[in-house]
Amino acid sequence: MNQGLYINGEWTMGRGVASREIINPFNRKVIATVAEGTREDTQDAIAAAREAFDYGPWPRLKASERAALVRALGDAVQEHREELASLESLDTGKTLEESRWDMDDIAGIFRYYADIAVTDMADAPIDSPVADSTSTIVREPVGVCGQISPWNYPLLQASWKMAPALAAGCTLVIKPSEITPLTTIRITELAQEVGFPRGVINLVLGAGNPVGAELAESLDVDLISFTGGIETGRKIMQAASGNAKKIALELGGKNPNIVFADANLETAVDYALNAVFFHAGQICSAGARLLLESSIHDDFVFALRARMERIVIGNGMTEGTQMGPLISEQHRDKVERAIQLGRQEGATLLSGGTRPTNPELQDGFFVLPTLFTDCTSSMRIVQEEVFGPVITVERFESEDEALRLANDTTYGLSAGFWTNDAQRQQRMSRGLRFGTVWVNDFNVYFVQAPWGGYKQSGIGRELGRAGLEEYLETKHVFQNLAPKSLNWFGR
């Protein structure tokens, strides 16, 4: 596998001399050393993408011709499923089975956008109120796109951006997280193999500053798509104002999971675990904020704690592991500070909260599954995104209180609730101010449905037809079929 940058159809180690070691978060072993891109490398990649968009064949191909290559890339992902899944698990620490699920999703995402690009980009005639004229809505690609993806789902999140942009006819400069670049490098190799033209896909590795900063600031970039933290998102918004480029931001969430007394408690407990502990809680949509109706609180917490303490943690590459490590030492420190803050705020640490004592896990970045009770919505442990294997529990007495507590957040990415009351299902679905609401389920997503948040969870949508819309401009073409002089001026 290449270990450098991909610019204008060529692999290069870039203009700089710096490199970065990529480590396995399970044991801190170096699994690769890759080039570290510079601001000048990023400028070169932007220039290549600009040239390919302005003068190259890609945006001028028939939608069906672009779709064929996008679909071929999805097929290549499926063909290399095991290789890509292994790279993803080594790089992130997540279980191999989770990475396999990701690869299946990714292949489907490319195929989906290949299919809808053919239909959704067709010119659409509309009725003109002017006699002897035609009026047509034309969908065109937005242009050069800077795409910055996160470390928790490196290739999955990259595919959410790459697939619709390519199907639309855009050209790309991709910047994966500097700590998890391996699968993005590999899919770039696959894109080269299936035959994407020079300059259409460009890859620059490196830190947010300078690489991401240059993408956000450049006057030659037409759109910036970013998934990550709120502070970086704000900086990107400010930088993008230089040329008023389009922005698409997915900035995380603090997602409530609400359980009413009439729910199936055994199933709700199972899903409360699923909502948080996949990928050690490093999921933007994690249901880390558990709201329980008071009458079931004690029984629910008892059952939840018992199962949490049986979670098998270990090497994601080992069969039987249910939860792997956190991504890095720095991130583990952040999670541990949040746990300490929760204790200081008065929440009851009922389970976990420490590192495992198993000697085999000492080199990895592990934190035990952690359960806080006696939480209130005013606590920072409840309001701030921990991004780790931590659940906070709040009580509520009524439906109105549950809705008020759930909406008491600056975020609005996702929420779920559990009840068998059909009328309550309708009221809660409408009342929750989140981009995705799950009823008697949690953490379900699929490519046909849009993904994004309200409030500080971001701007714009990924996936679904809305995900393609982000990468399109809408043009109105009006033609007068029988022009006649008005003779208004100077007659």
Side-chain angles (χ1 to χ4, degrees):
M1 186 177 71
N2 283 285
Q3 297 176 324
L5 322 178
Y6 186 69
I7 299 174
N8 201 26
E10 302 289 340
W11 290 96
T12 172
M13 297 308 289
R15 297 193 185 200
V17 296
S19 61
R20 181 182 294 269
E21 292 182 337
I22 307 303
I23 67 169
N24 182 342
F26 168 69
N27 55 19
R28 307 188 193 212
K29 289 184 178 180
V30 176
I31 52 179
T33 301
V34 300
E36 190 85 343
T38 65
R39 189 173 284 268
E40 291 73 23
D41 292 320
T42 313
Q43 292 167 352
D44 291 342
I46 293 169
R50 186 81 264 164
E51 177 78 13
F53 183 80
D54 290 341
Y55 306 108
W58 183 248
R60 295 159 188 86
L61 291 177
K62 293 180 179 178
S64 59
E65 294 175 310
R66 285 198 305 271
L69 279 175
V70 173
R71 185 177 295 105
L73 187 52
D75 293 343
V77 169
Q78 195 68 58
E79 180 182 351
H80 294 270
R81 175 179 185 257
E82 285 300 311
E83 174 197 359
L84 288 165
S86 294
L87 280 175
E88 198 83 315
S89 288
L90 286 171
D91 212 353
T92 64
K94 71 171 67 174
T95 66
L96 187 57
E97 191 62 23
E98 290 176 67
S99 293
R100 288 177 177 136
W101 299 338
D102 290 350
M103 298 311 133
D104 292 339
D105 287 341
I106 291 162
I109 287 164
F110 281 99
R111 292 164 178 163
Y112 170 80
Y113 282 108
D115 289 341
I116 69 167
V118 177
T119 56
D120 286 31
M121 291 190 64
D123 292 351
I126 60 174
D127 291 335
S128 173
V130 180
D132 298 320
S133 70
T134 64
S135 197
T136 306
I137 303 301
V138 178
R139 318 306 303 284
E140 296 180 342
V142 69
V144 174
C145 302
Q147 301 186 329
I148 304 173
S149 52
W151 50 257
N152 60 331
Y153 285 85
L155 192 54
L156 184 66
Q157 293 284 345
S159 74
W160 288 16
K161 304 176 190 301
M162 292 175 66
L166 291 170
C170 298
T171 59
L172 322 176
V173 180
I174 307 164
K175 191 205 95 64
S177 168
E178 60 269 28
I179 59 177
T180 57
L182 299 186
T183 49
T184 310
I185 295 173
R186 186 67 184 106
I187 199 172
T188 305
E189 290 180 330
L190 295 175
Q192 183 183 28
E193 291 172 13
V194 302
F196 281 85
R198 292 168 63 94
V200 173
I201 298 174
N202 302 273
L203 169 69
V204 183
L205 310 178
N209 190 3
V211 178
E214 180 63 30
L215 289 173
E217 295 166 10
S218 174
L219 301 182
D220 286 326
V221 173
D222 301 301
L223 177 148
I224 188 84
S225 177
F226 168 78
T227 300
I230 180 66
E231 294 304 322
T232 303
R234 290 191 182 111
K235 292 177 182 177
I236 287 173
M237 289 183 71
Q238 293 169 354
S241 67
N243 68 336
K245 61 171 60 71
K246 292 182 71 173
I247 54 175
L249 306 175
E250 202 265 77
L251 305 177
K254 189 70 177 183
N255 312 288
N257 184 16
I258 309 159
V259 185
F260 290 94
D262 68 324
N264 182 313
L265 297 192
E266 182 179 354
T267 303
V269 167
D270 185 65
Y271 275 78
L273 297 160
N274 297 340
V276 178
F277 296 117
F278 283 117
H279 200 10
Q282 299 168 122
I283 308 173
C284 59
S285 60
R289 190 180 172 198
L290 183 61
L291 280 66
L292 301 177
E293 193 164 359
S294 285
S295 62
I296 62 168
H297 175 278
D298 292 352
D299 289 342
F300 196 104
V301 168
F302 180 84
L304 181 64
R305 178 183 182 180
R307 288 194 57 177
M308 284 176 60
E309 293 178 350
R310 294 198 298 270
I311 292 174
V312 179
I313 62 176
N315 186 352
M317 301 295 289
T318 301
E319 186 177 352
T321 295
Q322 296 171 341
M323 191 183 90
L326 297 171
I327 189 65
S328 66
E329 185 171 20
Q330 180 184 24
H331 187 60
R332 181 176 64 181
D333 290 345
K334 174 181 177 291
V335 172
E336 289 178 331
R337 287 194 299 270
I339 292 170
Q340 182 61 28
L341 176 63
R343 299 179 71 174
Q344 293 170 356
E345 290 180 309
T348 299
L349 181 60
L350 199 62
S351 183
T354 61
R355 302 178 186 181
T357 58
N358 186 335
E360 296 179 0
L361 305 181
Q362 296 311 298
D363 290 334
F365 306 123
F366 288 95
V367 170
L368 290 173
T370 299
L371 177 61
F372 278 108
T373 58
D374 302 316
C375 298
T376 66
S377 63
S378 63
M379 294 178 176
R380 288 176 59 189
I381 190 69
V382 172
Q383 289 292 333
E384 297 176 4
E385 190 175 34
V386 177
F387 224 61
V390 179
I391 294 178
T392 63
V393 181
E394 302 163 75
R395 293 175 182 259
F396 66 87
E397 301 293 340
S398 67
E399 180 181 322
D400 287 344
E401 185 184 14
L403 190 60
R404 178 180 59 80
L405 289 172
N407 285 333
D408 182 16
T409 172
T410 60
Y411 292 105
L413 184 60
S414 61
F417 66 93
W418 297 79
T419 180
N420 289 316
D421 184 326
Q423 295 303 311
R424 177 183 287 153
Q425 290 170 359
Q426 293 298 315
R427 292 190 299 269
M428 291 293 293
S429 296
R430 295 291 184 178
L432 287 165
R433 290 191 48 77
F434 296 84
T436 295
V437 174
W438 296 295
V439 183
N440 294 332
D441 213 315
F442 212 94
N443 263 341
V444 179
Y445 82 93
F446 39 84
V447 65
Q448 294 86 354
W451 180 260
Y454 289 19
K455 298 186 276 188
Q456 293 188 36
S457 283
I459 297 171
R461 292 293 184 268
E462 295 186 298
L463 300 182
R465 282 179 157 78
L468 181 65
E469 291 287 338
E470 296 289 341
Y471 293 94
L472 294 174
E473 295 281 17
T474 301
K475 177 185 289 184
H476 174 214
V477 177
F478 173 86
Q479 182 177 2
N480 188 333
L481 299 175
K484 299 175 183 177
S485 297
L486 294 177
N487 292 317
W488 177 265
F489 292 104
R491 60 183 185 274

